[in-house]
Amino acid sequence: MSGSSAPQRDVASVASALADALPALYRALDRRVARDFPHPKPPEGHLNLLRHVAEHEGATVREAAEALLMKPNNVSALVSQLTEQGLLERGQDSADKRVVRLRLTPVARRRVAEAHALQVGHLTGALRAMTDGELDALGSALGALESLTHGLRSAAH
């Protein structure tokens, strides 16, 4: 199914199946993580921001908003909440004192790592229950899913 040579009904069928499967997969994984997470699980928006800052230490609110496809004022509100909770720190940029850089606190860094480890652990367990063919198919689909994500993100900007 590459490019425009795929029949429209096949593309629509795959789109429909993905639209159903991806949220269901996410919810199932999220529930398993929430059940096993030893702390109150932050809302997904908070976790997404914490994950982004963990991967992009020193990001600005605007950079985080662009990456998370959110409005800067909404990210700013999340930053305020997470700062009050002791999970994020704001620091001045060394070159431009007007720019605020975001950093995780040590507590947040540990919790993000714990949540990620739980996700990987639950997915690993589920993957081990699959057949070799199913596992190979998922492995082969990862590149296509990354391309799909990139295309949707680009269209959202």
Side-chain angles (χ1 to χ4, degrees):
M1 256 178 46
S2 63
S4 61
S5 65
Q8 280 302 103
R9 65 177 163 43
D10 290 347
V11 170
S13 175
V14 170
S16 179
L18 280 171
D20 292 341
L22 294 177
L25 173 64
Y26 170 79
R27 283 191 307 275
L29 181 60
D30 188 55
R31 284 191 181 112
R32 295 282 307 268
V33 170
R35 184 193 69 203
D36 296 339
F37 197 59
H39 317 282
K41 186 176 172 294
E44 193 57 31
H46 291 194
L47 269 178
N48 286 338
L49 178 57
L50 291 171
R51 285 183 194 119
H52 178 76
V53 174
E55 293 172 11
H56 303 91
E57 191 78 21
T60 66
V61 168
R62 180 161 303 283
E63 291 166 348
E66 288 175 8
L68 298 172
L69 302 176
M70 295 176 67
K71 294 179 181 176
N73 61 326
N74 291 341
V75 172
S76 183
L78 289 178
V79 167
S80 294
Q81 293 169 14
L82 291 168
T83 300
E84 289 172 13
Q85 294 171 17
L87 298 174
L88 269 184
E89 296 174 341
R90 295 177 177 130
Q92 285 184 334
D93 184 89
S94 58
D96 185 346
K97 301 296 182 201
R98 298 170 296 171
V99 175
V100 174
R101 299 283 175 187
L102 303 174
R103 289 175 184 72
L104 293 184
T105 64
V107 169
R109 191 168 306 287
R110 284 192 303 274
R111 289 187 182 175
V112 167
E114 287 176 69
H116 182 72
L118 284 170
Q119 287 175 324
V120 170
H122 289 305
L123 285 168
T124 298
L127 290 169
R128 284 190 176 131
M130 297 177 83
T131 67
D132 288 343
E134 290 169 328
L135 191 55
D136 288 345
L138 277 176
S140 296
L142 290 175
L145 286 171
E146 288 174 7
S147 294
L148 179 62
T149 301
H150 178 74
L152 290 172
R153 289 184 65 79
S154 296
H157 278 29

Short mmCIF file of all heavy atoms in Angstrom, two decimals, residues 94-137:
data_model
loop_
_atom_site.label_atom_id
_atom_site.label_comp_id
_atom_site.label_asym_id
_atom_site.label_seq_id
_atom_site.Cartn_x
_atom_site.Cartn_y
_atom_site.Cartn_z
N SER A 94 20.85 31.79 29.95
CA SER A 94 22.11 32.49 30.26
C SER A 94 22.39 33.63 29.28
O SER A 94 23.01 34.62 29.66
CB SER A 94 23.27 31.50 30.27
OG SER A 94 23.35 30.84 29.01
N ALA A 95 21.92 33.53 28.06
CA ALA A 95 22.19 34.57 27.06
C ALA A 95 21.12 35.66 27.05
O ALA A 95 21.41 36.81 26.74
CB ALA A 95 22.30 33.94 25.66
N ASP A 96 19.87 35.31 27.35
CA ASP A 96 18.77 36.26 27.30
C ASP A 96 17.92 36.07 28.55
O ASP A 96 17.15 35.12 28.65
CB ASP A 96 17.95 36.04 26.03
CG ASP A 96 16.85 37.07 25.84
OD1 ASP A 96 16.53 37.80 26.81
OD2 ASP A 96 16.28 37.12 24.74
N LYS A 97 18.05 36.96 29.49
CA LYS A 97 17.37 36.85 30.78
C LYS A 97 15.85 36.87 30.67
O LYS A 97 15.15 36.51 31.59
CB LYS A 97 17.83 37.97 31.73
CG LYS A 97 19.31 37.98 32.00
CD LYS A 97 19.74 36.73 32.72
CE LYS A 97 21.24 36.80 33.00
NZ LYS A 97 21.82 35.52 33.22
N ARG A 98 15.31 37.30 29.53
CA ARG A 98 13.86 37.32 29.33
C ARG A 98 13.32 35.93 28.99
O ARG A 98 12.13 35.69 29.12
CB ARG A 98 13.47 38.30 28.22
CG ARG A 98 13.85 39.74 28.51
CD ARG A 98 13.66 40.58 27.28
NE ARG A 98 14.60 40.10 26.25
CZ ARG A 98 14.60 40.49 25.00
NH1 ARG A 98 13.72 41.34 24.57
NH2 ARG A 98 15.49 40.01 24.14
N VAL A 99 14.18 35.04 28.56
CA VAL A 99 13.77 33.69 28.14
C VAL A 99 13.82 32.75 29.34
O VAL A 99 14.82 32.71 30.06
CB VAL A 99 14.68 33.18 27.00
CG1 VAL A 99 14.33 31.73 26.65
CG2 VAL A 99 14.58 34.08 25.80
N VAL A 100 12.74 32.00 29.53
CA VAL A 100 12.65 31.04 30.63
C VAL A 100 12.87 29.64 30.07
O VAL A 100 12.26 29.24 29.07
CB VAL A 100 11.27 31.13 31.32
CG1 VAL A 100 11.12 30.04 32.37
CG2 VAL A 100 11.09 32.50 31.95
N ARG A 101 13.76 28.90 30.68
CA ARG A 101 14.07 27.52 30.29
C ARG A 101 13.48 26.57 31.34
O ARG A 101 13.55 26.83 32.53
CB ARG A 101 15.59 27.31 30.22
CG ARG A 101 16.29 28.19 29.20
CD ARG A 101 16.06 27.67 27.84
NE ARG A 101 16.59 28.54 26.80
CZ ARG A 101 16.40 28.35 25.52
NH1 ARG A 101 15.71 27.30 25.11
NH2 ARG A 101 16.89 29.17 24.63
N LEU A 102 12.92 25.47 30.86
CA LEU A 102 12.26 24.50 31.73
C LEU A 102 13.18 23.32 32.00
O LEU A 102 13.85 22.82 31.11
CB LEU A 102 10.97 24.00 31.08
CG LEU A 102 9.95 25.07 30.71
CD1 LEU A 102 8.78 24.46 29.96
CD2 LEU A 102 9.48 25.82 31.95
N ARG A 103 13.16 22.88 33.26
CA ARG A 103 13.94 21.71 33.66
C ARG A 103 13.11 20.87 34.62
O ARG A 103 12.35 21.40 35.41
CB ARG A 103 15.22 22.16 34.36
CG ARG A 103 16.22 22.78 33.43
CD ARG A 103 17.45 23.32 34.14
NE ARG A 103 18.33 23.98 33.20
CZ ARG A 103 18.09 25.13 32.60
NH1 ARG A 103 16.99 25.79 32.86
NH2 ARG A 103 18.95 25.66 31.74
N LEU A 104 13.31 19.57 34.56
CA LEU A 104 12.64 18.67 35.49
C LEU A 104 13.35 18.73 36.84
O LEU A 104 14.57 18.86 36.91
CB LEU A 104 12.69 17.23 35.00
CG LEU A 104 11.92 16.87 33.74
CD1 LEU A 104 12.03 15.37 33.50
CD2 LEU A 104 10.48 17.28 33.81
N THR A 105 12.57 18.57 37.91
CA THR A 105 13.17 18.38 39.22
C THR A 105 13.60 16.92 39.31
O THR A 105 13.14 16.07 38.52
CB THR A 105 12.16 18.69 40.34
OG1 THR A 105 11.09 17.74 40.26
CG2 THR A 105 11.63 20.12 40.24
N PRO A 106 14.45 16.59 40.25
CA PRO A 106 14.83 15.18 40.41
C PRO A 106 13.63 14.26 40.65
O PRO A 106 13.59 13.15 40.14
CB PRO A 106 15.78 15.20 41.62
CG PRO A 106 16.38 16.59 41.58
CD PRO A 106 15.27 17.48 41.11
N VAL A 107 12.64 14.72 41.40
CA VAL A 107 11.43 13.92 41.64
C VAL A 107 10.72 13.64 40.32
O VAL A 107 10.33 12.51 40.03
CB VAL A 107 10.48 14.65 42.63
CG1 VAL A 107 9.12 13.97 42.67
CG2 VAL A 107 11.09 14.70 44.01
N ALA A 108 10.55 14.68 39.50
CA ALA A 108 9.87 14.50 38.21
C ALA A 108 10.66 13.56 37.31
O ALA A 108 10.07 12.72 36.63
CB ALA A 108 9.67 15.84 37.53
N ARG A 109 11.97 13.70 37.31
CA ARG A 109 12.80 12.84 36.47
C ARG A 109 12.59 11.38 36.85
O ARG A 109 12.44 10.51 35.99
CB ARG A 109 14.28 13.24 36.59
CG ARG A 109 15.16 12.58 35.57
CD ARG A 109 16.55 13.19 35.54
NE ARG A 109 16.56 14.63 35.35
CZ ARG A 109 16.28 15.28 34.21
NH1 ARG A 109 15.95 14.58 33.16
NH2 ARG A 109 16.33 16.59 34.15
N ARG A 110 12.55 11.10 38.15
CA ARG A 110 12.33 9.72 38.61
C ARG A 110 10.94 9.23 38.22
O ARG A 110 10.77 8.10 37.77
CB ARG A 110 12.51 9.62 40.13
CG ARG A 110 13.95 9.63 40.58
CD ARG A 110 14.10 9.26 42.05
NE ARG A 110 13.33 10.12 42.94
CZ ARG A 110 13.75 11.28 43.44
NH1 ARG A 110 14.95 11.74 43.13
NH2 ARG A 110 12.98 12.00 44.25
N ARG A 111 9.93 10.08 38.37
CA ARG A 111 8.55 9.66 38.07
C ARG A 111 8.34 9.44 36.57
O ARG A 111 7.64 8.50 36.18
CB ARG A 111 7.55 10.66 38.63
CG ARG A 111 7.52 10.58 40.14
CD ARG A 111 6.45 11.40 40.75
NE ARG A 111 6.52 11.29 42.20
CZ ARG A 111 5.77 11.98 43.02
NH1 ARG A 111 4.87 12.82 42.54
NH2 ARG A 111 5.89 11.82 44.31
N VAL A 112 8.93 10.29 35.76
CA VAL A 112 8.83 10.08 34.31
C VAL A 112 9.50 8.76 33.94
O VAL A 112 8.97 7.98 33.14
CB VAL A 112 9.45 11.27 33.53
CG1 VAL A 112 9.64 10.94 32.07
CG2 VAL A 112 8.57 12.51 33.69
N ALA A 113 10.65 8.49 34.54
CA ALA A 113 11.35 7.22 34.27
C ALA A 113 10.53 6.03 34.76
O ALA A 113 10.46 5.01 34.07
CB ALA A 113 12.73 7.24 34.93
N GLU A 114 9.89 6.16 35.92
CA GLU A 114 9.04 5.09 36.43
C GLU A 114 7.86 4.82 35.49
O GLU A 114 7.55 3.65 35.20
CB GLU A 114 8.49 5.44 37.82
CG GLU A 114 9.50 5.37 38.94
CD GLU A 114 8.88 5.82 40.26
OE1 GLU A 114 8.00 5.09 40.78
OE2 GLU A 114 9.26 6.89 40.75
N ALA A 115 7.21 5.87 35.05
CA ALA A 115 6.07 5.71 34.13
C ALA A 115 6.52 5.06 32.83
O ALA A 115 5.85 4.16 32.31
CB ALA A 115 5.41 7.06 33.87
N HIS A 116 7.66 5.50 32.31
CA HIS A 116 8.17 4.93 31.07
C HIS A 116 8.51 3.44 31.26
O HIS A 116 8.19 2.60 30.41
CB HIS A 116 9.39 5.70 30.58
CG HIS A 116 9.93 5.19 29.29
ND1 HIS A 116 9.29 5.37 28.09
CD2 HIS A 116 11.05 4.47 29.01
CE1 HIS A 116 9.99 4.81 27.13
NE2 HIS A 116 11.06 4.25 27.67
N ALA A 117 9.13 3.13 32.38
CA ALA A 117 9.49 1.73 32.65
C ALA A 117 8.23 0.86 32.75
O ALA A 117 8.22 -0.28 32.27
CB ALA A 117 10.31 1.63 33.93
N LEU A 118 7.18 1.39 33.36
CA LEU A 118 5.93 0.64 33.43
C LEU A 118 5.34 0.43 32.04
O LEU A 118 4.88 -0.67 31.71
CB LEU A 118 4.92 1.37 34.32
CG LEU A 118 5.15 1.27 35.82
CD1 LEU A 118 4.23 2.23 36.57
CD2 LEU A 118 4.93 -0.16 36.30
N GLN A 119 5.36 1.47 31.22
CA GLN A 119 4.85 1.34 29.85
C GLN A 119 5.62 0.26 29.10
O GLN A 119 5.02 -0.63 28.48
CB GLN A 119 4.96 2.67 29.10
CG GLN A 119 3.98 3.71 29.54
CD GLN A 119 4.23 5.03 28.84
OE1 GLN A 119 5.37 5.42 28.58
NE2 GLN A 119 3.16 5.74 28.55
N VAL A 120 6.93 0.35 29.14
CA VAL A 120 7.77 -0.62 28.43
C VAL A 120 7.54 -2.03 28.98
O VAL A 120 7.42 -2.99 28.22
CB VAL A 120 9.26 -0.21 28.50
CG1 VAL A 120 10.16 -1.33 27.98
CG2 VAL A 120 9.50 1.08 27.72
N GLY A 121 7.43 -2.15 30.28
CA GLY A 121 7.21 -3.46 30.89
C GLY A 121 5.88 -4.07 30.46
O GLY A 121 5.82 -5.26 30.11
N HIS A 122 4.82 -3.27 30.49
CA HIS A 122 3.51 -3.80 30.08
C HIS A 122 3.50 -4.14 28.59
O HIS A 122 2.94 -5.16 28.19
CB HIS A 122 2.40 -2.81 30.42
CG HIS A 122 2.13 -2.72 31.89
ND1 HIS A 122 1.84 -3.81 32.67
CD2 HIS A 122 2.12 -1.66 32.73
CE1 HIS A 122 1.66 -3.43 33.92
NE2 HIS A 122 1.82 -2.13 33.98
N LEU A 123 4.09 -3.29 27.77
CA LEU A 123 4.14 -3.59 26.34
C LEU A 123 4.99 -4.82 26.07
O LEU A 123 4.62 -5.66 25.24
CB LEU A 123 4.69 -2.39 25.56
CG LEU A 123 3.71 -1.23 25.39
CD1 LEU A 123 4.43 0.01 24.86
CD2 LEU A 123 2.58 -1.63 24.46
N THR A 124 6.11 -4.96 26.78
CA THR A 124 6.96 -6.13 26.61
C THR A 124 6.20 -7.40 26.93
O THR A 124 6.25 -8.39 26.19
CB THR A 124 8.22 -6.01 27.50
OG1 THR A 124 8.96 -4.85 27.10
CG2 THR A 124 9.11 -7.24 27.39
N GLY A 125 5.46 -7.38 28.03
CA GLY A 125 4.66 -8.55 28.40
C GLY A 125 3.63 -8.89 27.34
O GLY A 125 3.44 -10.06 26.99
N ALA A 126 2.95 -7.87 26.83
CA ALA A 126 1.93 -8.11 25.80
C ALA A 126 2.57 -8.60 24.50
O ALA A 126 2.03 -9.48 23.83
CB ALA A 126 1.13 -6.83 25.55
N LEU A 127 3.72 -8.04 24.15
CA LEU A 127 4.40 -8.46 22.93
C LEU A 127 4.88 -9.90 23.02
O LEU A 127 4.85 -10.65 22.03
CB LEU A 127 5.58 -7.53 22.62
CG LEU A 127 5.21 -6.12 22.18
CD1 LEU A 127 6.45 -5.21 22.16
CD2 LEU A 127 4.54 -6.13 20.81
N ARG A 128 5.30 -10.31 24.20
CA ARG A 128 5.78 -11.70 24.37
C ARG A 128 4.65 -12.71 24.19
O ARG A 128 4.91 -13.87 23.90
CB ARG A 128 6.42 -11.86 25.75
CG ARG A 128 7.78 -11.26 25.82
CD ARG A 128 8.51 -11.62 27.09
NE ARG A 128 9.86 -11.09 27.05
CZ ARG A 128 10.42 -10.39 28.02
NH1 ARG A 128 9.76 -10.17 29.15
NH2 ARG A 128 11.65 -9.93 27.90
N ALA A 129 3.41 -12.27 24.37
CA ALA A 129 2.27 -13.17 24.20
C ALA A 129 1.84 -13.28 22.74
O ALA A 129 0.97 -14.08 22.43
CB ALA A 129 1.09 -12.66 25.04
N MET A 130 2.47 -12.51 21.86
CA MET A 130 2.10 -12.52 20.45
C MET A 130 2.90 -13.57 19.69
O MET A 130 3.95 -14.02 20.15
CB MET A 130 2.35 -11.13 19.84
CG MET A 130 1.51 -10.04 20.48
SD MET A 130 1.88 -8.42 19.82
CE MET A 130 0.87 -8.50 18.35
N THR A 131 2.39 -13.93 18.54
CA THR A 131 3.11 -14.88 17.69
C THR A 131 4.30 -14.17 17.05
O THR A 131 4.36 -12.93 17.01
CB THR A 131 2.21 -15.42 16.56
OG1 THR A 131 1.90 -14.34 15.67
CG2 THR A 131 0.94 -16.06 17.11
N ASP A 132 5.24 -14.96 16.54
CA ASP A 132 6.40 -14.37 15.84
C ASP A 132 5.95 -13.53 14.65
O ASP A 132 6.49 -12.45 14.41
CB ASP A 132 7.36 -15.47 15.37
CG ASP A 132 8.12 -16.11 16.51
OD1 ASP A 132 8.17 -15.52 17.61
OD2 ASP A 132 8.69 -17.20 16.30
N GLY A 133 4.95 -14.00 13.93
CA GLY A 133 4.44 -13.27 12.79
C GLY A 133 3.84 -11.92 13.19
O GLY A 133 4.05 -10.91 12.51
N GLU A 134 3.07 -11.92 14.27
CA GLU A 134 2.47 -10.67 14.75
C GLU A 134 3.55 -9.69 15.20
O GLU A 134 3.50 -8.50 14.89
CB GLU A 134 1.51 -10.94 15.91
CG GLU A 134 0.24 -11.65 15.51
CD GLU A 134 -0.56 -12.14 16.71
OE1 GLU A 134 0.04 -12.49 17.76
OE2 GLU A 134 -1.80 -12.18 16.58
N LEU A 135 4.54 -10.22 15.89
CA LEU A 135 5.64 -9.37 16.36
C LEU A 135 6.44 -8.81 15.18
O LEU A 135 6.79 -7.62 15.16
CB LEU A 135 6.55 -10.17 17.30
CG LEU A 135 7.59 -9.39 18.08
CD1 LEU A 135 6.97 -8.27 18.87
CD2 LEU A 135 8.35 -10.33 19.00
N ASP A 136 6.70 -9.64 14.19
CA ASP A 136 7.39 -9.17 12.98
C ASP A 136 6.58 -8.09 12.28
O ASP A 136 7.13 -7.09 11.81
CB ASP A 136 7.66 -10.33 12.02
CG ASP A 136 8.74 -11.28 12.51
OD1 ASP A 136 9.49 -10.90 13.44
OD2 ASP A 136 8.82 -12.40 11.96
N ALA A 137 5.28 -8.28 12.20
CA ALA A 137 4.41 -7.29 11.54
C ALA A 137 4.45 -5.96 12.27
O ALA A 137 4.54 -4.90 11.65
CB ALA A 137 2.98 -7.81 11.44
#
